[in-house]
Amino acid sequence: MKDQKRIHEELSLSISTLVQSQIRIEDMITTGTLRSYADSSPVKKMLHAPTMKLYVVKEEPLHNKEIRKNLKDWISFWQSKCSNSIQHVQIYSTFWSTPEGYVSIVMEYMNGGSLQNLLESMGVLPERSIKQLVQPILYGLQKIHQSGAQCHGALGPSQILFLRDGTVKLSQGLQYRAQIQGNQVFNQYILGRAKEAQSLYDPSILETPSLWSKAPSEKYHFPTQDDFILERANDIWKLGWLILNCAIGTMEFHPKAQQIYEGSRIILEEITKYIDQLKDTCCLLHSEIKVIQFVEQNSKIVNEPTKITILDLLPPDKFSVEFIQFLCSTLKIDPRQRHFTEQLLLHSWLTGYKECKGPNVQLKELLSISNAWNTFLPEEFQGQGAQKLERLCDALCLVLQNSEKPTINKQHLQENSPIIKELSHDMGINAKVISERLISIFQSLI
């Protein structure tokens, strides 16, 4: 069994290496810019001209040698341990531009967007859709934890990506590695920079530290459990917080939102200092009032009782008892009480046969609604798409004349092929029009 596992890992790595050898950055054509969140780096959707395959290229700044090493180590880990994994977004190649001080990372293109996109479009998700999300995320975390990495560290809505068929994958959280484990000057520059795009699902809009922007980089061991690693327990907390976001939306309307965010920050970053003061608590759901009181006492804020709690926002007609129990096991105040990924995967909410409460809506259906804004347009509104197609064709002619011989099969340019369908969806014009135009381009170059 071990030999089979080793052979699979070696094969996956060799396939990844083969893909890298086929990609050159000069053969890539930018077809669009994807939305970036908070302080994340620019993300471009790019077409590899010789093969007509879509990729995402993310540019991460390298402000010093430490950041360069941290990113290189994490990318190397991801490529060796998560290569060809169905739960992880793939990294195909990297281009290190030392004089310019950045790295271009060629990654798998996820055409369904992110959980951040979906939440901003839908507001909240029903229990059934959340359940479809959680299992693949847990499998992704489990592989990272079992492969020697301390933690993922950046588990948030922008790091959960989809394909349109409902496939869920975990992204790399590259910004976490760059901004947190870099030097203090760089951290101040990044964290102090004005955000181009804000989201209500990012706690930092409430002027509190983001739950995904800071975590310890060393192992902390509690005396009672020598094998306990705090960062992994914090991954579980962030998973619970992510599920909570999906279920109730943002906390902006909660009267004690500031205190809850500050309490979460303390639980993630300073729990070793306050573990004795919080020892008689359960989780954020069932000990919410105690967490709020603790924050208000420490901040010398007058404690005024609130008439609404998080549990009030999770009514029994919309969320099952098993769902609440699962959420409780991820949001334990004491990190030693949070379940491991293996335990959570066996939880009755994920393995049981009880029907989920609330609307019977599949994740794939929500994604189709969320992405419906740029589907096929009527002919009279296809002007911009036609211009975009012509620009793409001009770029293809220029790149392919100075590139290696195209390896694309003519069959892949037919109107029912995945790449033509994707371009049709992106441009909002008929797939047949795109197919005929691209075939003519490639024929003229042969």
Side-chain angles (χ1 to χ4, degrees), residues 60-63 96-103:
E60 283 289 348
L62 304 171
H63 288 262
W96 300 83
S97 303
T98 306
E100 291 83 3
Y102 69 90
V103 56

Side-chain angles (χ1 to χ4, degrees), residues 45 76 86 97 106 136 155 232 243 297 324 412 425:
K45 182 166 66 173
S76 177
I86 60 172
S97 303
V106 182
L155 193 64
R232 292 181 185 173
I243 295 170
Q297 287 170 5
I324 302 297
H412 297 153
H425 184 276

Side-chain angles (χ1 to χ4, degrees), residues 202-214:
D202 177 5
S204 61
I205 66 159
L206 292 179
E207 298 180 354
T208 59
S210 168
L211 298 182
W212 302 291
S213 70
K214 186 176 180 183

Side-chain angles (χ1 to χ4, degrees), residues 276-307:
D276 291 334
Q277 292 172 254
L278 294 167
K279 65 182 178 180
D280 295 325
T281 55
C282 174
C283 66
L284 186 62
L285 302 184
H286 298 109
S287 299
E288 176 187 350
I289 294 174
K290 289 184 179 179
V291 171
I292 291 171
Q293 288 174 345
F294 171 77
V295 170
E296 290 178 335
Q297 287 170 5
N298 279 15
S299 306
K300 297 180 180 179
I301 299 172
V302 177
N303 180 18
E304 296 179 1
T306 176
K307 295 180 180 179

Side-chain angles (χ1 to χ4, degrees), residues 148-178:
Q150 287 177 239
C151 65
H152 180 276
L155 193 64
S158 65
Q159 297 304 306
I160 309 303
L161 304 182
F162 305 111
L163 293 175
R164 286 200 197 97
D165 64 3
T167 299
V168 182
K169 293 195 179 189
L170 186 59
S171 194
Q172 302 88 5
L174 294 167
Q175 192 66 18
Y176 167 79
R177 303 287 157 177

Side-chain angles (χ1 to χ4, degrees), residues 128-257:
R128 186 180 301 276
S129 299
I130 298 172
K131 187 175 179 178
Q132 288 178 291
L133 274 175
V134 171
Q135 197 167 50
I137 294 173
L138 275 173
Y139 277 122
L141 279 180
Q142 183 184 43
K143 188 171 183 66
I144 290 171
H145 291 177
Q146 290 180 348
S147 298
Q150 287 177 239
C151 65
H152 180 276
L155 193 64
S158 65
Q159 297 304 306
I160 309 303
L161 304 182
F162 305 111
L163 293 175
R164 286 200 197 97
D165 64 3
T167 299
V168 182
K169 293 195 179 189
L170 186 59
S171 194
Q172 302 88 5
L174 294 167
Q175 192 66 18
Y176 167 79
R177 303 287 157 177
Q179 91 177 31
I180 301 311
Q181 297 178 16
N183 64 20
Q184 189 61 31
V185 175
F186 176 67
N187 286 346
Q188 289 173 356
Y189 165 73
I190 287 290
L191 295 175
R193 212 168 48 178
K195 293 181 172 65
E196 293 180 1
Q198 290 187 331
S199 167
L200 292 174
Y201 293 89
D202 177 5
S204 61
I205 66 159
L206 292 179
E207 298 180 354
T208 59
S210 168
L211 298 182
W212 302 291
S213 70
K214 186 176 180 183
S217 59
E218 298 178 359
K219 294 182 180 180
Y220 286 83
H221 298 288
F222 283 82
T224 54
Q225 289 177 268
D226 291 336
D227 61 343
F228 177 79
I229 298 175
L230 181 58
E231 290 94 329
R232 292 181 185 173
N234 283 349
D235 269 351
I236 302 302
W237 175 277
K238 291 169 189 176
L239 172 66
W241 188 272
L242 182 123
I243 295 170
L244 194 59
N245 269 173
C246 292
I248 67 175
T250 69
M251 301 284 288
E252 59 173 331
F253 299 114
H254 193 293
K256 301 281 187 176

